[in-house]
């Protein structure tokens, strides 16, 4: 062995280190790519309108405008709109998680003619854009007198969501058949089996589904804008429509500051439920 040659066992170690370095570099680059827009949003909330409109772009604020966050909070009923968003999101997320779990349990554990066909139709409905069903949905709720109420989110929650049904169906299909058979021998019906055996074991998927559904409802702009009046509307609508000048021009720095405060609850919920969310997304495809 020459002075410059490596021992036979060191070559694999060098290869592993190089692979890890490449992997970490890619992960850091992707992290920066995803965090970048949120960082730019924070910087925009700390600038003046002139700095936002400047050309070439001012990457950092010359004089940090911390008062933009206080102005964005005080110019509108921020807490009132946030309360409306929270009520709607909690109602929808709770109901759609439970209803999707029930439907997913049926697809996973019950044998019935046409089950695979119905499940295929359900998954296929995920390809329908929201705009296609929005107008018929609005006409139905208008006929029922539910416009400017929170009842549409109750019915949407009770109707389950195809993607969440898919998650629960995949998870329930992987549970041992012996659990179900032992419960049937003990005299339990499928309702009892679902509530007392299967649902308590599905907490990872429950956490993931609740976070996903809460994010859907919290971030929805179109449905609240269409169905709710100004005083019942959500924070998403208020952020996009109320920070304007007398001429109707958006005040971009206040919108950015309000958007940062608007995103914070979602980040907190994700951080709290992060372990269950990751576990639910990683186990739903395993049998």
């Amino acid at each position: 062995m020459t002075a410059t040659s490596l021992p036979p066992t060191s070559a694999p170690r060098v290869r592993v280190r190089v692979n890890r370095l490449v992997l970490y570099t890619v992960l850091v680059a992707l992290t920066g790519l995803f965090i970048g827009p949120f960082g730019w949003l924070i910087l925009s909330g700390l600038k003046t309108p002139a700095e936002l409109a400047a050309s070439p772009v001012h990457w950092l604020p010359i004089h940090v405008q911390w008062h933009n966050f206080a102005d964005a909070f005080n110019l509108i009923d921020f807490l009132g709109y946030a309360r409306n968003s929270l009520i709607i999101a909690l109602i929808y997320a709770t109901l759609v998680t439970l209803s999707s779990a029930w439907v997913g349990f049926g697809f996973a554990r019950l044998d019935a003619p046409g089950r695979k066909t119905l499940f295929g139709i359900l998954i296929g409905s995920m390809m329908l854009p929201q705009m296609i069903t929005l107008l018929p949905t609005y006409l139905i709720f208008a006929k029922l007198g539910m416009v400017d109420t929170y009842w549409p989110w109750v019915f949407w929650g009770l109707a389950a969501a195809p993607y969440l049904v898919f998650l629960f169906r995949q998870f329930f299909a992987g549970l041992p058949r012996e659990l179900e058979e032992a419960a049937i021998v003990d005299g339990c019906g499928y309702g009892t089996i679902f509530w007392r055996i299967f649902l308590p074991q599905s907490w990872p998927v429950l956490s993931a589904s609740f976070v996903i559904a809460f994010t859907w409802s919290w971030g929805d702009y179109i449905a609240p804008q269409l169905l709710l009046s100004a005083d019942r509307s959500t924070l998403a609508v208020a952020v996009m429509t109320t920070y304007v000048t007398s001429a109707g021009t958006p005040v971009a720095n206040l919108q950015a500051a309000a958007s940062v405060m608007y995103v914070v609850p979602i980040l907190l919920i994700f951080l709290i439920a992060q372990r269950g969310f990751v576990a639910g997304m990683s186990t739903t495809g395993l049998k």
Side-chain angles (χ1 to χ4, degrees):
M1 183 177 65
T2 63
T4 58
S5 62
L6 295 175
T9 57
S10 63
R13 294 178 182 176
V14 173
R15 191 179 302 111
V16 169
R17 291 177 180 176
V18 171
N19 292 337
R20 287 181 178 177
L21 179 61
V22 172
L23 177 60
Y24 290 153
T25 303
V26 173
L27 291 177
V28 170
L30 291 176
T31 301
L33 181 65
F34 286 110
I35 295 180
F38 186 64
W40 179 252
L41 186 66
I42 296 176
L43 293 176
S44 299
L46 296 173
K47 296 178 181 179
T48 62
E51 288 177 327
L52 284 175
S55 181
V57 175
H58 290 181
W59 295 100
L60 297 176
I62 299 175
H63 301 290
V64 178
Q65 307 293 313
W66 292 108
H67 64 83
N68 285 344
F69 290 89
D71 293 342
F73 186 85
N74 294 323
L75 284 176
I76 65 173
D77 185 11
F78 198 93
L79 290 180
Y81 288 119
R83 181 184 64 249
N84 295 343
S85 296
L86 183 62
I87 292 173
I88 290 175
L90 287 177
I91 290 174
Y92 175 76
T94 302
L95 293 178
V96 80
T97 298
L98 293 177
S99 61
S100 299
W102 179 245
V103 177
F105 173 79
F107 277 118
R109 314 304 293 197
L110 300 180
D111 295 325
R115 182 185 62 172
K116 294 184 178 180
T117 302
L118 289 176
F119 187 70
I121 295 173
L122 179 73
I123 298 301
S125 66
M126 294 170 58
M127 295 185 292
L128 292 176
Q130 183 186 13
M131 297 302 297
I132 294 179
T133 60
L134 193 59
L135 182 58
T137 302
Y138 173 80
L139 295 176
I140 292 173
F141 289 135
K143 290 289 186 180
L144 296 175
M146 295 181 182
V147 175
D148 199 23
T149 69
Y150 295 156
W151 280 107
W153 283 267
V154 174
F155 284 98
W156 281 328
L158 294 175
Y163 179 67
L164 302 184
V165 171
F166 171 77
L167 291 182
F168 279 105
R169 187 261 181 190
Q170 294 299 100
F171 181 82
F172 288 143
L175 294 180
R177 181 68 66 175
E178 289 77 12
L179 289 175
E180 180 181 340
E181 294 174 349
I184 293 175
V185 170
D186 290 338
C188 296
Y190 278 102
T192 304
I193 294 173
F194 171 74
W195 286 106
R196 300 186 62 179
I197 299 177
F198 278 70
L199 194 63
Q201 297 190 57
S202 63
W203 69 265
V205 193
L206 287 172
S207 300
S209 299
F210 184 86
V211 172
I212 293 172
F214 190 94
T215 304
W216 286 346
S217 183
W218 184 270
D220 188 16
Y221 171 82
I222 298 177
Q225 175 75 346
L226 186 65
L227 295 171
L228 299 176
S229 60
D231 59 336
R232 288 178 173 266
S233 192
T234 61
L235 190 57
V237 177
V239 168
M240 295 302 299
T241 59
T242 56
Y243 295 105
V244 295
T245 63
S246 57
T249 305
V251 184
N253 59 336
L254 294 185
Q255 282 187 338
S259 298
V260 172
M261 295 186 288
Y262 167 75
V263 172
V264 168
I266 294 295
L267 295 179
L268 293 177
I269 290 176
F270 176 77
L271 290 175
I272 294 172
Q274 179 181 10
R275 180 178 298 179
F277 180 83
V278 174
M281 298 302 293
S282 62
T283 58
T284 49
L286 302 177
K287 285 191 176 183

